[in-house]
Amino acid sequence: MKQLIERLQKTSHLEKDEWLALLNAENDELRQYAAELAREVRHSHYGKKVYIRGLIEFTNYCKNNCLYCGIRAGNPNAERYRLTKEQILSCCKTGWELGFRTFVLQGGEDPHFTDEVLCDIVQQIKKEYPECAVTLSVGERSRDSYQALFDAGADRYLLRHETANKAHYQSLHPENLTLENRMECLQNLKEIGFQVGCGFMVGSPNQTNECIAEDLLFLEKFQPHMVGIGPFIPHHDTPFAKEPSGNVEKTLYLLSLIRLLLPKVLLPATTALGTLRHDGREQGILAGANVVMPNLSPTDVREQYSLYDNKICTGDEAAECRYCMQRRIESVGYEIEESRGDHISKQ
Ligand code: 5AD
Ligand code: FES
């Protein structure tokens, strides 16, 4: 198995049965070995730098009903909020002063944010902070809509594919959401010129190693600029309330394998990883991740952006999150980099 990992490092390619073998054989030794090689690769491209992104969770209204997600339309207990343009700009101001040069606007699929409304917000951010990158994470929209957002100045787009296996996709989503449409959205985003992020949850209900092998094959084919992966964590008001959480070790193993598959990828150590283990994000960095996304949302709405239970950082001010993250990163020998942190191919 170690030879397979070495070959992955050299060629950034494995066949499906080889991925499956690596996933099925997961143990401490392999995980450590994959992390060691992943750090080597990461150091050769990014040194010890960790990029920071300021996350602004600007609406928890959502028209969709994904079975795993706490802000699904069908959750009557979710207390809904949406930030005004002024509130969003005020988050950016705080973020700018704290050294953030990327703002990630993330929200549910909220029909209030039409192209007109969202483009205006993006334009205003880019006007006030021309040196910053704007990343959007607002779900599935039409190609024309993506084009309008790009033309308004958005630089990057995060849209996790969630799973590359059709049957698995259908078991996580209601019928009106299809893998086919998700893939078309991702393709459109790439063609328009965004730096694009896809990704998936580790340990979501019905996920098998075969599903994950298909995810990895998809990553190789799609060549995203960013990959967001984190453990699944149940939310008490969803159909998956009683399902077990994803596994932290497996998530770390996958971070390392993804670093070897896509050597230059921007790979965040996610909040979900930090939620399941106190030092999850630090361990993520040591496994090959090179991005963290501290929260810039106003503290009074943080609790409400609840995709899963026990999410961390809901009580902390932006500055606290920023410096907490810096301490954590330095504690494992890495350093925060205050720049836009574009993908190497787009610098
Ligand atoms: N646990 C972990 N991650 C989740 N997401 C949504 N719900 C959960 C959950 N219960 C992830 C999805 C989505 C991203 C914004 O958050 O992958 O794409
Ligand atoms: Fe909002 Fe899935 S519940 S996109």
Side-chain angles (χ1 to χ4, degrees):
M1 286 302 151
K2 283 193 169 181
Q3 277 104 333
L4 269 186
I5 299 180
E6 285 162 16
R7 183 143 56 78
L8 173 62
Q9 182 190 29
K10 284 200 191 80
T11 64
S12 288
H13 169 82
L14 289 182
E15 299 294 330
K16 184 171 177 184
D17 56 333
E18 296 172 326
W19 281 123
L20 252 181
L22 264 190
L23 292 167
N24 289 334
E26 183 195 337
N27 61 26
D28 286 345
E29 194 188 350
L30 281 183
R31 219 181 294 115
Q32 271 176 33
Y33 192 59
E36 219 172 276
L37 299 197
R39 281 196 296 273
E40 243 173 56
V41 168
R42 174 249 211 272
H43 292 156
S44 73
H45 296 295
Y46 292 102
K48 295 246 169 174
K49 289 180 185 142
V50 177
Y51 297 117
I52 51 171
R53 322 291 195 200
L55 180 64
I56 305 172
E57 299 155 333
F58 70 100
T59 174
N60 73 348
Y61 282 86
C62 191
K63 66 173 158 65
N64 289 336
N65 223 358
C66 307
L67 277 73
Y68 45 84
C69 184
I71 64 167
R72 64 203 302 267
N75 178 7
N77 299 325
E79 264 183 72
R80 306 287 169 172
Y81 74 91
R82 97 174 31 104
L83 301 184
T84 62
K85 178 178 169 187
E86 289 66 36
Q87 285 175 304
I88 295 172
L89 285 163
S90 148
C91 291
C92 295
K93 179 167 189 290
T94 307
W96 171 270
E97 287 162 1
L98 290 170
F100 289 99
R101 295 297 175 266
T102 292
F103 302 121
V104 181
L105 267 55
Q106 185 175 92
E109 292 195 15
D110 178 354
H112 169 83
F113 290 96
T114 58
D115 294 347
E116 199 186 338
V117 173
L118 201 50
C119 285
D120 176 52
I121 293 170
V122 171
Q123 272 161 354
Q124 194 64 34
I125 297 176
K126 294 294 284 196
K127 191 168 147 206
E128 292 185 23
Y129 306 98
E131 290 162 48
C132 291
V134 170
T135 304
L136 295 176
S137 177
V138 290
E140 298 184 355
R141 299 172 81 102
S142 68
R143 184 174 177 124
D144 287 350
S145 171
Y146 289 148
Q147 184 69 57
L149 293 165
F150 186 76
D151 295 340
D155 302 272
R156 311 187 188 128
Y157 204 102
L158 305 175
L159 181 67
R160 289 190 179 177
H161 65 286
E162 310 297 356
T163 170
N165 179 283
K166 202 166 168 184
H168 186 218
Y169 195 93
Q170 252 139 25
S171 80
L172 300 178
H173 300 99
E175 257 173 31
N176 66 318
L177 297 177
T178 63
L179 181 58
E180 200 186 354
N181 193 54
R182 181 63 55 121
M183 294 294 174
E184 193 177 318
C185 287
L186 284 166
Q187 197 55 43
N188 285 336
L189 288 162
K190 193 109 177 271
E191 285 170 15
I192 288 167
F194 284 100
Q195 294 176 52
V196 182
C198 59
F200 57 93
M201 293 176 285
V202 178
S204 58
N206 311 308
Q207 185 185 55
T208 60
N209 280 344
E210 185 163 1
C211 295
I212 298 177
E214 290 174 27
D215 288 320
L216 295 164
L217 292 178
F218 169 67
L219 294 186
E220 183 187 355
K221 185 162 119 226
F222 185 63
Q223 293 287 317
H225 303 91
M226 308 169 275
V227 175
I229 68 160
F232 163 75
I233 305 173
H235 184 288
H236 61 278
D237 279 326
T238 63
F240 291 157
K242 297 271 178 297
E243 300 287 336
S245 287
N247 182 286
V248 170
E249 307 296 347
K250 188 168 191 171
T251 308
L252 295 171
Y253 188 42
L254 280 163
L255 283 170
S256 300
L257 296 179
I258 292 170
R259 169 62 62 208
L260 297 173
L261 174 65
L262 302 169
K264 299 174 180 171
V265 79
L266 294 162
L267 191 62
T270 55
T271 308
L273 193 54
T275 295
L276 284 192
R277 181 183 290 184
H278 69 95
D279 64 345
R281 287 166 301 177
E282 295 90 312
Q283 293 304 318
I285 298 297
L286 291 172
N290 63 341
V291 172
V292 289
M293 300 168 70
N295 205 318
L296 272 184
S297 310
T299 30
D300 58 319
V301 302
R302 291 236 190 140
E303 202 85 53
Q304 285 155 264
Y305 199 81
S306 162
L307 308 186
Y308 47 80
D309 290 338
N310 306 316
K311 189 169 158 228
I312 49 171
C313 305
T314 53
D316 302 299
E317 296 290 342
E320 292 177 275
C321 278
R322 161 71 177 76
Y323 293 107
C324 163
M325 200 65 92
Q326 178 161 356
R327 276 196 305 279
R328 288 171 182 277
I329 285 166
E330 290 173 357
S331 77
V332 286
Y334 287 75
E335 60 197 41
I336 280 189
E337 158 82 8
E338 289 183 353
S339 69
R340 279 174 48 125
D342 288 294
H343 188 269
I344 290 178
S345 72
K346 299 264 183 176
Q347 278 172 2

